[in-house]
Amino acid sequence: MSEKTYKTMLNWVDQNITNPPTLLEMSRYVGYSPYYCSTKFREYCGMSFKRYLGKRKLMMAAKELTHTKETILTIAVRYGFSSHEAFTRAFCREYGRPPSQFRRESTATLANQDSDRR
């Protein structure tokens, strides 16, 4: 599998992150079997497709928490979490604090950076 195919897989995940994407759909898109894609994905990324997908969803949700005023529940549902609580548990495991605290701290950091530029 070429480097271009790996990048195609990662780009496909990003483009379909809110659908939610599956290994089977991705493997069809790149033209390899799910088993082969799973094996090569783990080799390339150092983690399973499922783990990568979960981390990527949380990373994109964190970006939205920082840069939008969408409610936490709206963001959670967009990225496939069944509830605010499920999202908060996963977010805390990944970032060590709840999404509301992350948003407050990120917003304050961005505000400080803006004032420093002036």
Side-chain angles (χ1 to χ4, degrees):
M1 186 177 283
S2 69
E3 175 107 10
K4 182 180 177 190
T5 304
Y6 293 122
K7 289 180 180 179
T8 299
M9 288 193 298
L10 296 177
N11 287 335
W12 184 88
V13 168
D14 281 352
Q15 291 169 358
N16 293 280
I17 196 102
T18 59
N19 287 344
T22 66
L23 179 62
L24 180 61
E25 291 168 338
M26 183 187 69
S27 66
R28 286 180 180 156
Y29 182 77
V30 296
Y32 291 99
S33 75
Y35 175 78
Y36 187 73
C37 281
S38 177
T39 301
K40 293 301 179 180
F41 196 94
R42 183 183 296 271
E43 284 177 20
Y44 184 73
C45 293
M47 65 184 81
S48 69
F49 174 78
K50 184 177 178 180
R51 177 116 172 96
Y52 176 84
L53 184 59
K55 289 175 87 55
R56 191 71 179 149
K57 284 180 178 185
L58 288 169
M59 188 172 83
M60 294 178 91
K63 184 176 178 182
E64 285 194 35
L65 286 168
T66 302
H67 297 289
T68 72
K69 294 188 186 297
E70 299 255 2
T71 67
I72 292 171
L73 180 59
T74 299
I75 294 169
V77 169
R78 178 176 299 125
Y79 289 102
F81 292 90
S82 60
S83 67
H84 187 287
E85 292 79 13
F87 177 63
T88 298
R89 278 192 305 274
F91 199 92
C92 285
R93 266 194 313 273
E94 188 68 26
Y95 293 102
R97 56 191 179 273
S100 56
Q101 181 181 352
F102 180 89
R103 175 176 263 173
R104 279 192 307 274
E105 291 170 356
S106 298
T107 303
T109 300
L110 287 175
N112 288 339
Q113 288 174 350
D114 284 345
S115 67
D116 289 346
R117 289 183 197 151
R118 293 179 190 163

